[in-house]
């Protein structure tokens, strides 16, 4: 068939069925995406641990394939998956301990993708540091009393939970690459009468929007000297827009969990970012 004529027929079909061209384009690729080429990079063959929540969980919540599986195909890395459905950052600490117990130092990099459940639970943000008056040696030599800041470790707040995880990782995986990912955008989810989660246009019970938790993850990058990849931005996933629902599990009941198409899009965005970072620090 003439190519020009085919294009005209397709255009007519879209108009006649009153379907958004964006939705039609996504639906035309609803079969599970496949990464057909392994990029020859520093990540090939590296053992990468993935910590996080349901979007990372090996049980494939809302999808048939996860982003870390696509990264295996795209970058040739080996994924060691410890993410657990429903986990907050307080649960990430337990995942990190399990990683240490099972793999020791036989891991090259650790990627953490968590925070959306802390937002949904309404966990207070807290502070990065507490201060106390401490004697310190200065020029002279002599000693002065100054205010020393110390990472606060209260696991009832978000920054304290992150401090606990990062302190453990820095102590137990000192030579590994550690990378943080910001939570993606989230719309409504209805998992039953006792688990209804409004879209991010609404604050949580602490009066905080999800943006605040995303920004704390960004801050953690500087506090703990680790890279952060802003998946909230670069994935392009925006489930509040109806035209983007084909990237999510269920248009009516679950615009929180990406489906295979959504995971592929996340992985593709991540792959290009990961190319900018060392996969390990061996020498």
């Amino acid at each position: 068939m003439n190519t020009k004529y085919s294009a005209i027929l397709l255009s007519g079909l879209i108009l006649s069925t009153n379907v958004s061209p964006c939705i039609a384009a996504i639906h035309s690729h609803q079969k599970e995406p496949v990464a057909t080429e392994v990029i020859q990079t520093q990540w090939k063959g590296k053992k990468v641990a993935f910590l996080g929540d349901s979007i990372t969980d090996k049980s494939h919540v809302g999808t048939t394939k996860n982003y870390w599986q696509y990264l295996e195909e795209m970058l040739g890395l080996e994924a060691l998956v410890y993410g657990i459905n429903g986990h907050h950052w307080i649960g990430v600490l337990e995942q990190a301990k399990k990683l240490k117990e099972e793999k020791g130092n036989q891991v090259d990099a650790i990627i953490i993708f968590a925070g959306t459940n802390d937002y949904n639970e309404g966990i207070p943000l807290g502070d990065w540091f507490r201060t106390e008056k401490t004697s310190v040696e200065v020029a002279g030599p002599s000693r002065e009393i100054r205010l020393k800041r110390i990472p606060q470790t209260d696991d009832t707040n978000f920054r304290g939970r992150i401090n606990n995880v990062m302190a453990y990782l820095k102590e137990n995986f000192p030579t590994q690459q550690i990378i943080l990912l910001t939570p993606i955008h989230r719309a409504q989810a209805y998992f039953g009468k006792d688990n209804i989660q409004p879209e991010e246009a609404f604050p949580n019970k602490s009066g905080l929007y999800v943006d605040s938790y995303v920004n704390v993850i960004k801050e953690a990058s500087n506090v703990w000297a680790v890279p952060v990849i802003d998946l909230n931005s670069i994935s392009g996933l925006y489930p509040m827009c109806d035209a983007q629902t084909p990237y999510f599990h269920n248009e009516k009941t679950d615009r929180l969990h990406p489906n295979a198409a959504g995971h592929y899009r996340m992985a593709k965005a991540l792959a290009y970012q990961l190319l900018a970072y060392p996969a390990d620090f061996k020498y």
Side-chain angles (χ1 to χ4, degrees), residues 32-35 60 63-67 69-70 73 259-260 263:
E32 191 177 276
V34 177
H60 308 303
T63 185
T64 56
K65 195 169 182 177
N66 291 75
Y67 70 94
Q69 289 172 287
Y70 286 119
E73 296 174 356
N259 57 20
H263 276 268

Side-chain angles (χ1 to χ4, degrees), residues 151-172:
Q152 66 87 11
T153 57
D154 183 354
D155 64 11
T156 64
N157 66 70
F158 194 47
R159 290 187 175 94
R161 292 178 172 189
I162 295 173
N163 278 341
N164 288 334
V165 172
M166 297 309 299
Y168 181 84
L169 292 178
K170 287 290 187 179
E171 184 67 30
N172 289 277

Side-chain angles (χ1 to χ4, degrees), residues 62-206:
T63 185
T64 56
K65 195 169 182 177
N66 291 75
Y67 70 94
W68 45 265
Q69 289 172 287
Y70 286 119
L71 287 175
E72 285 184 314
E73 296 174 356
M74 293 173 181
L75 299 179
L77 58 81
E78 178 185 344
L80 310 173
V81 183
Y82 287 84
I84 297 178
N85 185 12
H87 267 199
H88 303 62
W89 265 83
I90 198 170
V92 172
L93 180 58
E94 298 309 310
Q95 295 172 30
K97 291 178 179 179
K98 185 177 180 181
L99 170 64
K100 181 66 176 180
E101 178 185 346
E102 293 184 350
K103 302 298 180 181
N105 287 320
Q106 300 305 305
V107 59
D108 297 298
I110 301 169
I111 294 178
I112 308 173
F113 185 21
T116 196
N117 289 322
D118 299 83
Y119 154 75
N120 183 62
E121 190 65 23
I123 301 302
L125 297 182
D127 299 306
W128 289 116
F129 304 100
R130 61 181 176 84
T131 58
E132 63 180 38
K133 291 181 179 180
T134 304
S135 175
V136 61
E137 187 174 27
V138 294
S142 64
R143 300 194 70 84
E144 292 181 359
I145 300 297
R146 295 187 181 182
L147 273 180
K148 179 182 180 180
R149 65 180 191 181
I150 302 166
Q152 66 87 11
T153 57
D154 183 354
D155 64 11
T156 64
N157 66 70
F158 194 47
R159 290 187 175 94
R161 292 178 172 189
I162 295 173
N163 278 341
N164 288 334
V165 172
M166 297 309 299
Y168 181 84
L169 292 178
K170 287 290 187 179
E171 184 67 30
N172 289 277
F173 299 95
T175 63
Q176 280 73 17
Q177 172 68 280
I178 301 170
I179 298 176
L180 307 180
L181 310 182
T182 58
I184 60 173
H185 287 273
R186 46 180 294 154
Q188 76 275 8
Y190 185 94
F191 301 128
K193 64 180 182 178
D194 295 325
N195 191 357
I196 301 173
Q197 302 183 22
E199 67 175 54
E200 65 178 44
F202 296 93
N204 60 22
K205 63 184 180 183
S206 294

Side-chain angles (χ1 to χ4, degrees), residues 14 19-28 241-247 265:
I14 292 171
V19 177
S20 160
C22 178
I23 294 179
I26 299 172
H27 276 307
S28 69
C241 174
D242 289 341
Q244 293 238 319
T245 57
Y247 284 119
R265 181 162 180 161

